[in-house]
Amino acid sequence: MISRSRMRTCFCSASGQILQGYAAREFAKQGVKPGELAVISKEAVAPYERPALSKGYLFPQNAARLPGFHVCVGSGGERQLPEWYTEKGIELILSTEIVKADLSTKTLTSAAGATFTYEILLIATGSSVIKLTDFGTQGADSNNILYLREIDDADKLVAAIQAKKGGKAVVIGGGYIGLEISAALKINDFDVTMVFPEPWCMPRLFTADIAAFYEAYYTNKGVKILKGTLAVGFDANANGDVTAVKLKDGTVLEADIVVVGVGARPLTTLFKGQVAEEKGGIKTDAFFETSVPGVYAIGDVATFPLKMYNELRRVEHVDHSRKSAEQAVKAIKGKESGESVPEYDYLPYFYSRSFDLGWQFYGDNVGETILFGDSDPASSKPKFGSYWIKDGKVLGAFLEGGSPDENKAIAKVAKTQPPVASIEELKKEGLQFASKI
Ligand SMILES: Cc1cc2nc3c(=O)[nH]c(=O)nc-3n(C[C@H](O)[C@H](O)[C@H](O)COP(=O)(O)OP(=O)(O)OC[C@H]3O[C@@H](n4cnc5c(N)ncnc54)[C@H](O)[C@@H]3O)c2cc1C
């Protein structure tokens, strides 16, 4: 058992590939002495921008590879290579899984038996993918049934893409991961079928109108979409490689690769019974401090007060993971110096990119919706959007194909929540409504 000297601040477990990088940057900005800060990660590489894994990482040409997308390049910041951490006196402890956390003795234990003590802990364990083996789906442990969360998963997917070139791929799940991976597989010349049980793709955010555009666009690209059914089993050959996906409606789809994107669960098990939880995550205040003083939770695992909506929420998006990391570090440093830090006041923001498309969403997707702009999937440059209106105010805004200025304009709409006199007028004005705010 290795015993580490007492560290001032320790990011527990990878502290989120993204978070650890962004939080480390904030610590470095605010001043950190050598030996005061350690980042512990199960992954073997320095913090990177996870969204690249389902986008550029899977391209057949000029694919994104590390060190190209270490944080903080995703938000236009400096690319933090491993040397960056050394220069700043931050210890990067990689390939180290924490298997036990004792918040009463402030001790973490790794799978290899090393112990780490800390004064301040930032929990940023993120999420783990939900696997079909979790539900006991028949044949779900066959080879080439793949998932995507970490860089090792992405490497397995890239290897399968190369091994099964031009083959048949089935993507299970119609969320943004399913959509992005289907596009990537199509670009790699696979015969792609998407399967999901809901009536349309991305139902947690997309309206039927928005989804109709993406489904038609994907269909035009040659992606087949099967809705309203699910995978109930898999066939495999003598080597254990998947050969077919059996669907609930009786359909059998041949498959060389299956990629499953059916959601993720926040990784909170290490801390169960030791911190207050809410809505599936670790409950925090507006500074991301948990019910245990000196223990902070950020990113996907945090259930925090979303000030704008006066409600506790958990958000699984990269922008929040970056900003919550910065907020927690400011709060930790503020406590030290006695300087007050404003409460976290977050405007939910989420984006996705696939094929030549790219959308952004800001705010809350509640209430009545309107669609505006050119949502013809056959257009050479489709540009359309939606507003969500509740109690006479615009609370959410979505835009496909927007310029940086147009995206900024819809963000402002979601932030300021302007009143709407006439829904008909709003529909006619479309993007112009945003540019006037
Ligand atoms: C493929 C993919 C594409 C995405 N694309 C987008 C996008 O386009 N737009 C968007 O807004 N969001 C996107 N997201 C979501 C976004 O990446 C996450 O919300 C964000 O990464 C959450 O950051 P986090 O730091 O909380 O957790 P994670 O980034 O999940 O990091 C958690 C880290 O903790 C490590 N860890 C967990 N447990 C332990 C342990 N016990 N010991 C040691 N280490 C541990 C994990 O290995 C991991 O490195 C995407 C996610 C994925 C998987």
Side-chain angles (χ1 to χ4, degrees):
M1 180 154 351
I2 307 160
S3 190
R4 296 267 163 171
S5 57
R6 183 161 274 250
M7 288 176 279
R8 257 218 85 258
T9 306
C10 182
F11 289 88
C12 173
S13 50
S15 63
Q17 277 296 330
I18 288 172
L19 293 187
Q20 44 180 285
Y22 280 84
R25 179 176 70 171
E26 191 61 35
F27 270 115
K29 218 192 263 175
Q30 305 239 1
V32 66
K33 294 193 196 89
E36 266 191 343
L37 178 64
V39 174
I40 304 175
S41 176
K42 178 157 74 70
E43 291 190 79
V45 293
Y48 61 89
E49 304 283 3
R50 192 169 304 285
L53 298 183
S54 51
K55 304 175 184 67
Y57 206 81
L58 305 178
F59 287 174
Q61 269 115 33
N62 303 321
R65 286 291 177 269
L66 289 177
F69 59 99
H70 281 299
V71 299
C72 300
V73 291
S75 59
E78 185 188 348
R79 189 161 53 114
Q80 295 169 193
L81 300 173
E83 302 83 272
W84 181 90
Y85 296 85
T86 315
E87 277 161 25
K88 304 286 177 201
I90 299 168
E91 199 180 352
L92 202 50
I93 305 167
L94 302 175
S95 305
T96 302
E97 181 177 11
I98 298 299
V99 291
K100 189 168 171 242
D102 185 338
L103 301 186
S104 62
T105 60
K106 302 188 171 191
T107 308
L108 307 174
T109 308
S110 78
T115 58
F116 305 91
T117 53
Y118 61 83
E119 282 173 33
I120 295 169
L121 175 67
L122 271 101
I123 301 169
T125 38
S127 306
S128 65
V129 287
I130 295 172
K131 298 198 165 173
L132 295 181
T133 43
D134 300 346
F135 309 113
T137 306
Q138 175 261 321
D141 55 355
S142 306
N143 302 329
N144 293 329
I145 300 184
L146 303 163
Y147 297 84
L148 184 56
R149 181 78 207 178
E150 301 190 344
I151 201 148
D152 285 353
D153 304 321
D155 286 336
K156 281 186 201 146
L157 183 50
V158 168
I161 288 173
Q162 280 159 4
K164 303 287 178 183
K165 243 184 177 21
K168 289 184 168 31
V170 176
V171 175
I172 298 175
Y176 73 94
I177 298 270
L179 284 162
E180 290 183 2
I181 291 173
S182 296
L185 288 166
K186 192 70 221 169
I187 294 166
N188 278 283
D189 279 337
F190 273 79
D191 176 353
V192 183
T193 306
M194 283 184 82
V195 180
F196 51 89
E198 296 90 356
W200 63 79
C201 64
M202 276 283 296
R204 280 206 290 175
L205 173 63
F206 288 179
T207 61
D209 287 341
I210 296 178
F213 166 83
Y214 292 98
E215 288 176 12
Y217 191 96
Y218 272 56
T219 305
N220 291 348
K221 290 278 185 191
V223 175
K224 284 164 252 165
I225 299 179
L226 296 181
K227 303 189 263 185
T229 188
L230 21 102
V232 290
F234 301 90
D235 288 335
N237 62 19
N239 297 329
D241 296 346
V242 70
T243 54
V245 183
K246 294 183 272 190
L247 304 184
K248 197 175 182 183
D249 65 5
T251 310
V252 177
L253 302 169
E254 283 178 44
D256 300 301
I257 296 184
V258 175
V259 190
V260 184
V262 294
R265 282 192 199 97
L267 274 169
T268 57
T269 35
L270 278 175
F271 312 98
K272 278 257 174 283
Q274 304 186 69
V275 278
E277 291 189 48
E278 185 98 27
K279 296 187 172 171
I282 298 173
K283 189 177 172 189
T284 76
D285 62 13
F287 308 96
F288 295 99
E289 193 162 16
T290 69
S291 55
V292 179
V295 176
Y296 293 74
I298 44 184
D300 283 10
V301 293
T303 301
F304 64 96
L306 190 49
K307 197 173 178 184
M308 284 184 71
Y309 308 130
N310 197 21
E311 199 179 283
L312 282 175
R313 289 214 193 159
R314 210 168 56 72
V315 173
E316 289 179 2
H317 302 147
V318 69
D319 179 60
H320 161 69
S321 69
R322 294 168 181 156
K323 288 180 176 154
S324 60
E326 286 164 4
Q327 170 75 356
V329 176
K330 281 186 185 135
I332 291 165
K333 287 290 184 182
K335 264 194 184 176
E336 256 174 39
S337 66
E339 254 172 68
S340 78
V341 171
E343 289 181 339
Y344 192 58
D345 188 7
Y346 184 63
L347 170 68
Y349 161 55
F350 183 30
Y351 71 92
S352 177
R353 285 193 301 272
S354 58
F355 291 120
D356 297 328
L357 305 173
W359 56 259
Q360 302 205 350
F361 169 78
Y362 294 88
D364 214 6
N365 57 324
V366 290
E368 198 181 335
T369 61
I370 59 122
L371 188 77
F372 61 82
D374 174 10
S375 60
D376 179 352
S379 285
S380 58
K381 259 200 164 307
K383 187 190 285 186
F384 70 94
S386 258
Y387 294 121
W388 279 256
I389 307 112
K390 194 168 174 229
D391 301 330
K393 291 188 291 191
V394 184
L395 296 195
F398 172 97
L399 187 60
E400 165 60 50
S403 67
D405 281 348
E406 288 164 342
N407 287 327
K408 246 187 233 161
I410 63 154
K412 203 165 168 203
V413 168
K415 182 75 190 166
T416 55
Q417 305 182 347
V420 176
S422 149
I423 297 267
E424 272 316 301
E425 270 308 301
L426 180 66
K427 195 168 163 54
K428 264 190 239 149
E429 279 193 81
L431 198 48
Q432 266 192 328
F433 175 84
S435 47
K436 289 191 309 199
I437 302 297

